[in-house]
Amino acid sequence: FGGGAQTNAGPHVLPGSYTVSLVTDGKVVGSKPITIVMDPEVPLVGAPRTQYNALATELHEAQRAGTLVATQLTAVLAEVNRLAPMMDSSSTPAEIKTEFTAFRKAFDAVRAKFGVPPALGGGFGGGGGGAAAAAQAAAQAAAQANALGRVGTAKAAILAVWEVPSAAVVKQASDAKAALAPAMTEAAAVMAKARSLSAKMAPLNMKFTVPSN
């Protein structure tokens, strides 16, 4: 998804003493102590390291929650694409067509904020200077609109180096989280509309499968 599959790893465990347990069928069958020691060449220790991990963890949890929403939106997208041709049928009630059109508009607006569908790879060459510039501008606009992707990018920037995040990186992270929060609320509302529309379509033998909460 737009969060970036390469950025879904969380922050490393803080140095300290831990117990590692092997659990089978809910029962602990063995445990061993383990001590994690920080690379002495890395100066990120103490309070700065704790703050570093806290920020990375916040972004990771936000990304994980957003990715679950993106999974739901992807499932709904498949259903929307399947149902769209049916809306041209004369047998489909006008009120269903109207509600479906309104729902699709809201759905298309919110799914872009979660990178659904995922962006295709590839460069911008082969289309001439103007075409390439236009394609690049469109890609940049899509990336800016992709709130989930921005969270993944911010987290990756922090985890890429063992140092206190710069003010610019902290702002990037703050802005990304601020963009994702309302997108999550918007997505929840759109999913509620999808379930409402699904319930109205069911008696008409028009199956609209929507993921549960």
Side-chain angles (χ1 to χ4, degrees), residues 106-129:
F107 174 73
D108 286 343
V110 77
R111 68 182 175 87
K113 299 177 183 180
F114 291 84
V116 177
L120 298 177
F124 302 106

Side-chain angles (χ1 to χ4, degrees), residues 52 55 154 157-158 161-174:
Y52 170 97
L55 181 56
I158 291 172
V161 290
W162 285 108
E163 63 183 33
V164 176
S166 67
V169 170
V170 171
K171 184 178 186 306
Q172 179 187 23
S174 177

